[in-house]
Amino acid sequence: MSSEPQRSPIPFEPKNRKKQRRKAANKGSNVGKTGREQAEVARRASPSQRTIPEAVSRRMIRRMVFFCGLPTALGISSFILSYFIVTEQWFPLPNAAVVAVSMGFFGMGVLGLSYSVLSASWDENTPGSWLGWNEFVVNFRRMTQAWRSSR
């Protein structure tokens, strides 16, 4: 039995990844390898094994526009709106309020960027749901398992 926890592979993960992982485990992993040797191993992988499929990347980009672009645009427009409120003297607006609102929108944009990548379906043939919560749960679990297995 293997001490490594079983995980479902990423749909675009290279098929020979298990063999490479076992081979590295038998050799003592990458602990003794220099950065140059690790780069050489990565260079030998074919370009199709190192890239995200076109359908998946388009899906991620569409989600980035919505989940990151919209909050970022709101953050920028909050500065413009507050400028007009102050210059037209509609009502006094504290600087701290302007900063808090704009930073809130920019923070939502950063979180939206991460969510958009993880909520997209990583399977080329499955479009996923509109909100992507189920895909997010699956992809986040895959990501954390990959981090744990790399330690």
Side-chain angles (χ1 to χ4, degrees), residues 7 11 15-16 27 29 33 35 40 44 49 55 73 76 85-87 97 102-103 106-107 113 116 120 126 137 140:
R7 69 173 181 86
K15 300 293 183 219
N16 61 355
K27 286 185 176 182
S29 186
K33 291 185 178 182
E40 181 64 27
R44 277 191 237 137
Q49 290 177 337
I76 293 169
I85 290 173
V86 170
T87 56
S102 62
M103 291 303 289
F106 288 133
L113 187 63
S116 61
T126 308
V137 170
F140 188 77

Side-chain angles (χ1 to χ4, degrees), residues 19-136:
K19 291 177 186 175
Q20 289 174 348
R21 196 176 293 133
R22 265 192 236 124
K23 191 175 181 181
N26 292 339
K27 286 185 176 182
S29 186
N30 289 335
V31 174
K33 291 185 178 182
T34 64
R36 182 175 285 164
E37 290 170 335
Q38 289 176 358
E40 181 64 27
V41 169
R43 188 187 63 78
R44 277 191 237 137
S46 72
S48 65
Q49 290 177 337
R50 292 181 286 184
T51 60
I52 298 173
E54 185 68 26
V56 176
S57 66
R58 270 189 263 121
R59 197 174 300 139
M60 288 179 181
I61 290 171
R62 277 194 310 266
R63 290 181 173 275
M64 284 180 202
V65 168
F66 181 73
F67 289 115
C68 178
L70 186 64
T72 303
L74 288 172
I76 293 169
S77 56
S78 70
F79 278 122
I80 297 168
L81 181 64
S82 64
Y83 172 77
F84 282 116
I85 290 173
V86 170
T87 56
E88 296 296 321
Q89 297 178 350
W90 290 340
F91 56 87
L93 192 61
N95 293 340
V98 174
V99 171
V101 168
S102 62
M103 291 303 289
F105 282 128
F106 288 133
M108 285 173 39
V110 170
L111 291 175
L113 187 63
S114 300
Y115 182 77
S116 61
V117 171
L118 291 174
S119 68
S121 174
W122 291 355
D123 184 11
E124 288 182 83
N125 302 320
T126 308
S129 63
W130 182 82
L131 189 59
W133 181 252
N134 293 332
E135 291 83 4
F136 175 80

